[in-house]
Amino acid sequence: MAHSFRKKLIEGETLIGTLITIPSPTVAEIMAHGGFDWLFIDMEHSSIKLQDAEGMNRAANNQAHCIIRCPSNDEAWIKRCLDTGADGIILPRINTLEEAQYAVYHAKYPPVGNRSVGISRAHGYGSTFNEYLDRANEDIALIIQCEHRDALDELNQMVALDGIDAIFVGPYDLSASMNKIGQVEDPQVQKAIGKILQVTKQAQKPLGIFATTPTGIQKWHDEGFSLLAVGVDSALLASGGKHMLKQLNKTHQ
């Protein structure tokens, strides 16, 4: 991985990842070996703890970029997740310009923001401290999620912010905010996603989205989404097991 995740992202490279919700570095290592470009380490909707997330970064061993979704847009979570050595963070439920400004302020070092400075795994425990500080703003991605109908009102202003590297659509929460929970194919939900796509294209900001299947994610890639997350580790494990049993049962009928 010669180029940083952020550089690949802003250059429009197609990046295919998957959600990691099982608190196990082994799972992250397996997925990294599987060839995914990036791992979506989800600390918002899982039992993954900070120590687990740091271990997942180690386990990926530079075979896949690790991006952590913080539990919330909170200074403590932002700095602690970044200090694990992650290649970037995703912040959920960013609905206003003020919230986006807060994210930049705490995720980027000066002069872009005012990220707190500490010594951690990200800084080589001190051995690469200066090098990390020099390149962090260029290499580490800040991605905010647009997953509520309210976010559409100020999206134009949010995407114009220096320090916001990409927008990630949360289609299921977006549908819920429109009283159409889980109905991601509903015309109104699709129209909202289309508006997000239009705004980000005009701002020349990368756009990401989640889908459960390759067919579903291909549709969005064809529309212009480049940061793609497909499937969830637990669901992949379950479906793989079911498929194997189905094949075995056929041979024993």
Side-chain angles (χ1 to χ4, degrees):
M1 296 191 301
H3 296 305
S4 70
F5 176 83
R6 181 178 177 273
K7 184 172 183 181
K8 293 176 182 178
L9 183 65
I10 63 178
E11 288 182 352
E13 186 173 327
T14 298
L15 299 166
I16 301 173
T18 192
L19 264 74
I20 306 295
T21 63
I22 300 171
S24 167
T26 302
V27 172
E29 185 176 24
I30 291 169
M31 292 301 186
H33 279 304
F36 286 102
D37 298 309
W38 67 290
L39 305 181
F40 187 138
I41 300 172
D42 188 7
M43 290 186 67
E44 184 193 15
H45 290 296
S46 77
S47 60
I48 293 173
K49 297 180 175 61
L50 200 66
Q51 187 174 4
D52 301 320
E54 187 170 290
M56 291 173 182
N57 275 276
R58 290 193 187 92
N61 195 31
N62 293 323
Q63 289 186 291
H65 295 287
C66 291
I67 311 300
I68 299 175
R69 176 158 66 180
C70 301
S72 64
N73 184 24
D74 172 80
E75 178 187 1
W77 279 118
I78 289 171
K79 63 187 176 184
R80 295 182 77 192
C81 289
L82 287 172
D83 284 349
T84 65
D87 293 298
I89 56 172
I90 297 173
L91 294 175
R93 294 289 182 112
I94 306 299
N95 295 336
T96 67
L97 175 62
E98 183 180 6
E99 290 171 351
Q101 290 170 328
Y102 179 95
V104 172
Y105 187 80
H106 294 296
K108 298 289 185 177
Y109 287 124
V112 181
N114 195 35
R115 177 180 166 186
S116 178
V117 179
I119 294 178
S120 63
R121 181 178 180 273
H123 312 83
Y125 307 101
S127 63
T128 57
F129 182 78
N130 290 328
E131 293 93 323
Y132 181 82
L133 294 184
D134 288 343
R135 65 176 177 78
N137 284 355
E138 291 298 318
D139 288 353
I140 310 302
L142 171 59
I143 303 161
I144 61 171
Q145 282 203 253
C146 185
E147 52 183 344
H148 194 282
R149 64 188 307 168
D150 291 348
L152 298 176
D153 295 335
E154 298 186 33
L155 185 60
N156 274 300
Q157 296 164 281
M158 289 192 279
V159 297
L161 277 179
D162 183 22
I164 299 298
D165 298 314
I167 305 297
F168 195 92
V169 178
Y172 287 90
D173 277 0
L174 180 62
S175 69
S177 75
M178 303 173 74
N179 295 319
K180 297 177 180 292
I181 188 166
Q183 301 174 46
V184 296
E185 298 298 327
D186 181 89
Q188 284 185 279
V189 179
Q190 291 292 303
K191 183 178 179 181
I193 296 175
K195 181 179 178 180
I196 298 168
L197 177 60
Q198 180 184 18
V199 170
T200 53
K201 272 187 175 179
Q202 288 175 345
Q204 297 184 321
K205 282 284 171 83
L207 185 60
I209 198 166
F210 167 80
T212 56
T213 66
T215 302
I217 208 69
Q218 184 62 49
K219 168 194 170 183
W220 295 120
H221 182 253
D222 293 343
E223 292 286 340
F225 289 73
S226 59
L227 182 61
L228 311 174
V230 57
V232 183
D233 54 359
S234 56
L236 291 171
L237 183 62
S239 63
K242 287 179 181 178
H243 177 73
M244 182 179 67
L245 285 172
K246 185 177 180 180
Q247 295 301 111
L248 285 170
N249 288 333
K250 281 184 179 179
T251 63
H252 288 88
Q253 285 178 350

